[in-house]
Amino acid sequence: MPNPNPLCECPVAGYCKRHKMHKNEAFHALCSGARGQAGWKYFVAWESGALGATRPIDAHVDPPPFAYVTGAGVMLQTDRKIGTVTQSAGVVRASGWWNDAAVQASHRDRATTFITTIPRYPGHFDGQGIVITGGGKYFVSAYITIRVIRHVGCTLPIEVWYLDGEMDDEMIDMVAEYGGTCHNASELARGTGYFLDHWWKGWQLKAFALLHSSFREVLMLDADSYPVKDPSFVFDWLPYKETGAIIWPDVGASARLFPPLAARVLGVPQFTEGAAESGQIVFNKQQTWQAVCLAKHYNANADFVYHILYGDKDTFPVACHRIGLPYSRMNPNCKMNGPGIQQLDQHGNVLFNHRIHDKFRIFNERFDSTSQRNTTHQFFSNWQHEDFCHGVLTELTKRWGKT
């Protein structure tokens, strides 16, 4: 049979050495001619149960258990799809329902079952890169973070992930100007039920973008977390090479956000290393694939998990603990300084400025997850690159007509 897609040059069926996977006609409909894009789109479609095809992993694997075909078409076993919401939407629950022992046991059991269904690591992720979540009102911060990344001499490729309605063509072009690409997570997740209709979709976005980004090794940044020096070296740090993950700590005052209840409910031991701060995390997906998938599962079940944990931030170490994978702390300490948290490198020097309480903005925006100390941004002379950041902010202000 001839290939139905002229952009895809490889055979229509069988194992493809170029794309490193088995393919069928459904694969070619998604193929852009580039290995990364084709494999990435195919994996997402396969994961969501849209394709009754061989796992896109290697030449010797069984068909996926994530969907089965009947006379009516593809029927989804939604509780077994990576990161798909398993609870019914719009259910009216009693106050404090998440404290019910049966509910907690059910979620523990779901996670246990889910772990047994995680497929082997697929081969289409490639290279190292930076992934930033931030569109809409977070775009100003994300854009300044991109500019700072280039300002400090970092040449790693960048992906910006956003939700429906958060980016227009002008914003996408602005990101492209500095070597970045933009990806609509809502479009990719369409039909899977992953993103809940709630303001916390931005928290859910992080685990989704981490798993689905095209990079094998990912430095994940919040829109308002930017490096003060080239962060590329984190991928060569020996403890990271050994564990495949770096998770930075939260400030001591945030210990209350990960109470003993969370450990018991989620089936993991109490963390001796304390709460995590996920404004910047590093994962090698090949080494930590099961943990990355489980983190997405936790965030898919946000309406339960976010009552137990404070948003996405501790879902990453929880996933590592539950799988039994170690992870590294580049430094056991961080600093609360002025507008936010400063995360440190292995020598105790500031590596990231996470501007949680004074996000860059042009208009008086309200941010749901963290309170802002002022109605507009302030200048903090003891933070590195403030002059540069505010210079970029001035450019944006003039560009968008606000003086």
Side-chain angles (χ1 to χ4, degrees), residues 257-259 262 266 304-312 314-315 318:
L257 301 177
F258 188 70
L266 298 172
F304 171 74
V305 173
Y306 290 0
H307 283 296
I308 308 303
L309 303 174
Y310 185 75
D312 68 275
D314 288 300
T315 61
V318 164

Side-chain angles (χ1 to χ4, degrees), residues 53-240:
T54 307
R55 285 186 191 175
I57 299 171
D58 56 39
H60 307 288
V61 293
D62 299 323
F66 299 93
Y68 58 94
V69 180
T70 70
V74 176
M75 302 294 292
L76 303 183
Q77 301 176 43
T78 55
D79 59 324
R80 303 186 74 186
K81 296 189 303 178
I82 293 177
T84 296
V85 179
T86 55
Q87 64 276 10
S88 299
V91 174
V92 178
R93 301 183 176 100
S95 177
W97 61 271
W98 56 90
N99 291 318
D100 183 89
V103 171
Q104 294 175 358
S106 173
H107 278 273
R108 278 195 302 275
D109 291 345
R110 283 178 181 175
T112 300
T113 301
F114 170 79
I115 291 167
T116 68
T117 69
I118 296 173
R120 281 182 285 171
Y121 173 75
H124 61 268
F125 301 115
D126 191 38
Q128 300 168 340
I130 297 174
V131 174
I132 300 170
T133 52
K137 59 189 173 185
Y138 294 95
F139 178 76
V140 173
S141 288
Y143 179 72
I144 291 175
T145 292
I146 292 168
R147 294 287 299 272
V148 173
I149 289 168
R150 298 305 185 221
H151 177 68
V152 299
C154 178
T155 58
L156 287 169
I158 297 171
E159 292 181 357
V160 175
W161 285 72
Y162 64 97
L163 300 169
D164 273 346
E166 290 188 336
M167 299 275 279
D168 59 23
D169 290 343
E170 181 185 10
M171 293 173 176
I172 291 171
D173 289 345
M174 290 167 68
V175 171
E177 204 175 327
Y178 291 90
T181 59
C182 296
H183 306 269
N184 184 343
S186 299
E187 182 177 303
L188 202 59
R190 199 90 66 208
T192 68
Y194 178 81
F195 290 109
L196 303 179
D197 188 18
H198 199 283
W199 66 261
W200 62 38
K201 286 189 291 188
W203 280 344
Q204 291 182 290
L205 176 58
K206 198 178 304 179
F208 186 94
L210 171 63
L211 191 148
H212 291 292
S213 69
S214 67
F215 309 124
R216 181 178 63 253
E217 297 182 72
V218 178
L219 167 57
M220 189 95 207
L221 296 177
D222 280 2
D224 56 353
S225 184
Y226 52 89
V228 304
K229 60 184 177 183
D230 184 352
S232 305
F233 75 93
V234 299
F235 293 115
D236 296 318
W237 187 49
L238 183 58
Y240 163 73

Side-chain angles (χ1 to χ4, degrees), residues 329-344:
R329 278 269 161 93
M330 184 160 273
N331 198 294
N333 303 306
C334 61
K335 299 193 298 186
M336 190 70 197
N337 181 12
I341 299 173
Q342 293 184 306
Q343 294 291 357
L344 310 177

Side-chain angles (χ1 to χ4, degrees), residues 139-140 170-171 174 362-363 396-402:
F139 178 76
V140 173
E170 181 185 10
M171 293 173 176
M174 290 167 68
I362 294 175
F363 304 100
L396 280 177
T397 301
K398 291 179 178 176
R399 180 170 188 159
W400 287 338
K402 187 174 184 290

